[in-house]
Amino acid sequence: MNFSHDTELTLRAAGALVNSDRVGGEHLADQRALDDYLRDWGWTGRRDRDPEELAAVQRLRKRIGRIWAAADDEQRTVDEVNALLSDTRAAPWLTRHPEMPDWHLHLASVHDPLAQRMGAEMAMALADLIRGGELRRLKVCAAPDCDAVLVDLSRNRSRMFCDTGNCGNRQHVAAYRQRRARDG
């Protein structure tokens, strides 16, 4: 299934947000780290740059993580996404920008608080996934020592490992070494 560019980007940004405290410690501990995340993922609009804003984004991170964890239960996921859409007062409207000339949806005003805008965008991207019957694309890394999340956007939904800790390569090397030891 093909998703729109903004849906894929937002799903990846949601995964990166969830992973920001799952691999290698806390990566959203201060304003500078939040600034880096927002720049890396292209978030724009109102910024308060205060402790309350950072705390709100960290709470959103936990909430998106719970949605990821519920992905094997469609009804529970739908309930969580609907609640997030409601809580963020998502109101879709079409727009485009010089840096993104294709039409895309915004779901909150640029004047709304950061976590509210992020939550609305992430909830809508997750709703697109649900509507397409593609919840199984939300995964947790298959490496036994990793709990990072990933969005499997591969054509055949075969991606198993995250990009955060070189997990796929480590697992393949371990399997290779195990086969060599067994075969002698």
Side-chain angles (χ1 to χ4, degrees):
M1 167 160 243
N2 291 332
F3 296 101
S4 67
H5 172 73
D6 55 323
T7 294
E8 286 188 16
L9 181 65
T10 303
L11 288 169
R12 286 185 175 118
L17 180 64
V18 172
N19 288 337
S20 68
D21 74 343
R22 292 189 176 207
V23 179
E26 174 63 66
H27 294 279
L28 264 185
D30 56 31
Q31 286 300 319
R32 184 174 182 169
L34 180 57
D35 290 343
D36 290 346
Y37 168 83
L38 297 173
R39 184 192 63 247
D40 290 349
W41 292 101
W43 293 102
T44 59
R46 174 181 159 189
R47 284 296 311 283
D48 296 338
R49 290 185 169 81
D50 59 22
E52 290 79 19
E53 181 178 72
L54 178 61
V57 171
Q58 290 170 336
R59 284 190 303 275
L60 175 63
R61 172 178 64 192
K62 291 197 181 311
R63 193 167 184 181
I64 298 296
R66 286 193 306 270
I67 292 171
W68 228 281
D72 61 345
D73 181 338
E74 184 179 60
Q75 187 58 56
R76 188 170 139 219
T77 305
V78 166
D79 292 344
E80 293 276 350
V81 169
N82 279 338
L84 186 56
L85 286 166
S86 176
D87 293 348
T88 59
R89 297 185 300 278
W93 50 282
L94 287 165
T95 189
R96 61 182 168 190
H97 315 282
E99 69 275 6
M100 186 183 259
D102 292 334
W103 288 106
H104 60 278
L105 284 175
H106 277 228
L107 292 122
S109 166
V110 295
H111 305 291
D112 287 336
L114 176 63
Q116 179 182 341
R117 292 191 324 272
M118 290 173 66
E121 301 283 340
M122 289 177 184
M124 189 63 196
L126 291 162
D128 282 348
L129 208 63
I130 293 166
R131 289 181 322 123
E134 296 289 346
L135 260 180
R136 63 188 173 271
R137 291 184 181 274
L138 298 182
K139 298 179 178 181
V140 175
C141 182
D145 58 343
C146 184
D147 63 351
V149 300
L150 62 116
V151 182
D152 182 358
L153 294 172
S154 67
R155 183 172 298 187
N156 63 359
R157 292 174 215 84
S158 62
R159 189 163 167 222
M160 299 171 46
F161 303 106
C162 71
D163 293 331
T164 61
N166 200 23
C167 293
N169 191 43
R170 286 187 299 109
Q171 295 305 303
H172 290 107
V173 167
Y176 171 76
R177 288 181 179 156
Q178 188 176 37
R179 282 191 307 275
R180 292 233 10 211
R182 182 185 65 230
D183 296 340

